[in-house]
Amino acid sequence: MQEYMMNRMQQISDERNRKINKIEKIKALKRPLSVYKKLELISSGGLDNLSYEDGKFFLKCFGAFLKKDGRFMLRVRIPAGQLSVEQAASIGELSRVYGEDSINITTRQQIELNYIRIEDLYSVIKALEDAGVSTFQTGIDNFRNIVTSSFDGLGNQSIITVKPLIDEMQSIFLEKEEWIGTLPHKFNTAVFGTAINDCSIYGHDCSFIVAKKGDETGFNLYLGGKVGVQAEGTGLFVRKDEVVTVFNAVIHLFKTYGFRDKRTKNRLHFLLEAVGMEAFADAIRSYSGLDFNSGGDILVTEEFMLDEGGQYDLGKGLMAVHLGIPAGKFTGENLLEAAKITKQVNGEIRLSVEQSLYIVTTREKVKEVKESVLFDLYSRYHHIYFNHQIACAGALTCAYGVIPGKSDAIEMSNYLQREVPIFGGKVRMYWSACPHGCGIHRVADIGFEGCRAKDEEGNRVNGVHIYLGGKAAKEAKEARLLYKAIPIKDAKCKVKKLMEIYRDEREEGESFESFDSRVLAKLSLGEIVEKIEVC
């Protein structure tokens, strides 16, 4: 049966790959490492420029993205979002020297350095390598940073510490020539071992989610998540010592049988759609040589919520102090300061998928962190509109962006804090500047997708589609489209009215996600629109 299934998968793959897309044709021109070597020549003045295909594909394999101003954004891989003090200091200094002191924190717990000149790329990449971090395979058809909870291995909520597993998984592909730029499309992975879901665990191509089967604690395997689609369960329970083997099986199957024809239909989701989840689970059994129990009970039971002081009590004497970084826009100088403070309190830096960071330390040391100039600088953002905000790169630096995005998100949050201040509770506002959805707006409490809209005079202006009621905590659920293509100035008014309803009708301390399930989800979209229509 398994042999038949593998043959069937090969047949489906062959049929779909009779014609390949333009990116696959570019891949056939050369090996990515040959382009990486060009960077060293450019840095020493031995080469003047790169070809079109180098910028279009090959440099992205090493995290280098050419932007509109002719300089580069350089994406830095931070496995599990765990950044040592020394690494933070090195990245901060490189940003100051080479990148105009500009840093972004991303939704995959990574750091992006901005404004890097092409002649400096090689020097910066090598300096990062010396600090123990890599930029390799952070873009295009590669394995993106493997994410997990910001609190992996810390406090009462940690069930299985997964960072060692992530390091093993990464060792399979990182900086290995056979894996650089050779996948059919990008591949996102999450390994999750805590009781609180703070990294949208269902939104990845491959997710290992902590679960219990009988007396054994391990993981349920979910596959096929992408923008607008949540991953589905395979029905397989994976023991801790099987995770790396199973991951190896999944990625080899995707690389071998994945589709390389229509670019928008090449994620793992479409292979699963074509062959069926049950057949793919059988393929995992065949490739790995493992026999699995059926899925266990998922142990994600808690909703993560910061207190009003911008901190989270992890238990076991540990506290996570939050720096609410607006839209992930940070600086090298402030990262250096974060490293200094963290070292001072003998703490840890943890990056968040919500584009912020935590300094984790003991209860006794929290006061030192909160008395710092850095904490004071960001304390004004410790309210519900900034605590859980996401905004993608946007039109200023991304060729796909329709609206600026980051500045829109910051302006919206500042406006809401002035107009509808709310103390306690939680609301997740996520912004994507285009339909690509890098701001994961479809799982937000209130999501915004950039578009063009018409104002009252019929002029074309920056606008958004507004989504409502996404779920990413204990369950996965796509948000509903509430408004289509309205000007951003009108969106501010609509969201203000929505937040007034939340403020007035919520239970004490209730999150918007819980409030939506209890109140708004029982109403039709028309009824909700009627409540907030008059501005």
Side-chain angles (χ1 to χ4, degrees):
M1 178 65 182
Q2 288 183 347
E3 183 179 353
Y4 167 80
M5 173 272 305
M6 297 295 276
N7 289 336
R8 176 60 181 154
M9 193 178 296
Q10 183 68 64
Q11 181 185 0
I12 291 171
S13 179
D14 290 342
E15 290 173 357
R16 282 288 301 268
N17 292 333
R18 287 176 183 170
K19 291 184 178 180
I20 60 174
N21 61 59
K22 292 179 180 179
I23 294 295
E24 291 297 326
K25 293 175 182 177
I26 289 176
K27 290 180 191 179
L29 297 176
K30 62 189 83 169
R31 296 299 302 144
L33 284 176
S34 68
V35 179
Y36 180 67
K37 291 175 182 177
K38 289 183 183 181
L39 291 179
E40 184 174 10
L41 292 174
I42 290 173
S43 69
S44 61
L47 187 68
D48 291 327
N49 52 41
L50 297 162
S51 66
Y52 164 79
E53 62 268 14
D54 292 340
K56 180 72 175 176
F57 178 82
F58 294 105
L59 283 181
K60 294 177 184 178
C61 291
F62 310 106
F65 293 76
L66 181 62
K67 297 301 180 181
K68 294 177 180 179
D69 63 0
R71 290 178 289 180
F72 286 82
M73 177 272 284
L74 189 60
R75 189 176 288 158
V76 186
R77 181 183 292 273
I78 312 294
Q82 297 183 22
L83 189 63
S84 74
V85 166
E86 294 76 17
Q87 289 167 346
S90 294
I91 294 169
E93 184 61 24
L94 288 168
S95 172
R96 287 197 329 116
V97 173
Y98 295 102
E100 296 188 7
D101 202 33
S102 175
I103 282 176
N104 289 330
I105 298 176
T106 81
T107 57
R108 296 209 68 79
Q109 297 177 306
Q110 298 180 123
I111 287 176
E112 293 174 346
L113 304 178
N114 298 312
Y115 308 117
I116 308 296
R117 299 183 304 166
I118 189 169
E119 56 266 34
D120 295 327
L121 273 177
Y122 183 77
S123 296
V124 175
I125 291 172
K126 293 301 290 183
L128 290 166
E129 183 181 299
D130 291 342
V133 290
S134 177
T135 65
F136 278 47
Q137 293 146 283
T138 52
I140 208 72
D141 298 351
N142 286 289
F143 301 100
R144 306 302 177 84
N145 199 44
I146 301 176
V147 303
T148 187
S149 169
S150 299
F151 311 118
D152 173 53
L154 300 172
N156 294 329
Q157 305 298 340
S158 182
I159 300 168
I160 299 177
T161 301
V162 303
K163 176 59 160 57
L165 291 174
I166 289 174
D167 290 339
E168 280 192 71
M169 294 161 70
Q170 183 174 272
S171 70
I172 296 173
F173 61 81
L174 186 61
E175 300 187 11
K176 303 289 178 63
E177 185 170 14
E178 66 270 25
W179 287 106
I180 299 174
T182 58
L183 296 178
H185 211 290
K186 70 177 180 180
F187 193 89
N188 290 336
T189 308
V191 188
F192 200 80
T194 72
I196 47 171
N197 175 13
D198 60 329
C199 75
S200 301
I201 50 175
Y202 298 97
H204 309 270
D205 294 277
C206 178
S207 298
F208 294 88
I209 303 173
V210 66
K212 191 165 188 178
K213 183 72 175 181
D215 294 330
E216 187 164 22
T217 303
F219 302 88
N220 283 356
L221 177 63
Y222 277 64
L223 298 174
K226 68 181 191 70
V227 172
V229 176
Q230 297 299 293
E232 295 183 19
T234 61
L236 304 180
F237 178 78
V238 181
R239 298 199 311 265
K240 182 179 175 181
D241 61 358
E242 296 173 335
V243 168
V244 177
T245 301
V246 170
F247 176 72
N248 188 58
V250 172
I251 64 177
H252 274 88
L253 290 167
F254 178 52
K255 181 179 177 181
T256 303
Y257 301 108
F259 304 146
R260 300 173 185 268
D261 53 350
K262 189 175 182 181
R263 187 73 182 158
T264 57
K265 302 284 186 180
N266 292 168
R267 292 287 289 275
L268 177 64
H269 167 82
F270 298 101
L271 176 60
L272 296 173
E273 191 175 60
V275 304
M277 186 65 82
E278 185 176 350
F280 197 85
D282 283 341
I284 294 172
R285 291 187 181 92
S286 178
Y287 192 95
S288 67
L290 298 173
D291 192 16
F292 300 95
N293 285 324
S294 58
D297 297 322
I298 287 177
L299 300 179
V300 179
T301 57
E302 304 295 327
E303 184 176 0
F304 170 63
M305 192 179 299
L306 292 162
D307 68 20
E308 291 181 27
Q311 60 191 25
Y312 181 69
D313 189 344
L314 294 165
K316 298 184 178 178
L318 295 174
M319 298 288 285
V321 181
H322 181 241
L323 292 188
I325 300 165
K329 296 176 67 174
F330 206 40
T331 69
E333 188 69 44
N334 286 341
L335 186 58
L336 280 164
E337 187 64 20
K340 177 183 174 182
I341 296 164
T342 304
K343 184 175 182 179
Q344 177 182 313
V345 299
N346 195 29
E348 295 186 38
I349 297 174
R350 297 293 180 93
L351 303 183
S352 162
V353 298
E354 289 181 322
Q355 297 179 301
S356 59
L357 67 81
Y358 301 92
I359 296 176
V360 180
T361 189
T362 61
R363 289 176 181 272
E364 295 74 21
K365 297 283 188 179
V366 165
K367 185 178 179 181
E368 291 182 51
V369 178
K370 301 188 82 168
E371 288 178 346
S372 69
V373 174
L374 183 65
F375 182 84
D376 183 62
L377 178 64
Y378 287 96
S379 62
R380 57 184 166 146
Y381 302 113
H382 284 147
H383 56 73
I384 67 168
Y385 302 117
F386 276 115
N387 277 344
H388 301 279
Q389 180 193 74
I390 286 177
C392 71
L396 297 182
T397 59
C398 178
Y400 297 111
V402 180
I403 62 172
K406 286 186 180 295
S407 59
D408 298 315
I410 293 169
E411 184 179 340
M412 172 76 81
S413 292
N414 281 326
Y415 167 80
L416 292 171
Q417 179 62 9
R418 290 194 305 269
E419 298 293 320
V420 197
I422 296 175
F423 301 97
K426 172 184 175 182
V427 61
R428 297 174 303 114
M429 293 188 182
Y430 295 171
W431 290 70
S432 297
C434 79
H436 281 78
C438 295
I440 56 176
H441 61 281
R442 294 289 295 277
V443 295
D445 294 326
I446 305 174
F448 304 89
E449 179 188 318
C451 66
R452 298 291 284 170
K454 288 186 178 181
D455 64 14
E456 294 176 353
E457 288 75 39
N459 300 312
R460 300 281 287 175
V461 297
N462 287 342
V464 287
H465 308 305
I466 300 180
Y467 291 83
L468 178 68
K471 300 286 184 290
K474 300 177 188 178
E475 61 176 317
K477 180 182 175 183
E478 293 296 321
R480 301 175 288 171
L481 179 62
L482 182 63
Y483 284 101
K484 186 175 178 64
I486 65 172
I488 289 178
K489 68 177 184 66
D490 294 337
K492 291 167 67 176
C493 179
K494 307 295 187 190
V495 177
K496 172 187 171 183
K497 293 294 183 182
L498 194 59
M499 296 313 299
E500 287 174 345
I501 295 170
Y502 169 57
R503 178 196 62 194
D504 297 340
E505 299 184 22
R506 67 180 180 148
E507 296 176 351
E508 185 177 355
E510 185 178 25
S511 71
F512 191 94
E513 184 168 327
S514 175
F515 174 76
D516 176 74
S517 296
R518 184 175 62 85
V519 177
L520 299 181
K522 297 176 182 179
L523 303 176
S524 69
L525 288 175
E527 290 172 321
I528 297 171
V529 166
E530 186 176 349
K531 280 177 170 285
I532 64 178
E533 188 60 33
V534 179
C535 286

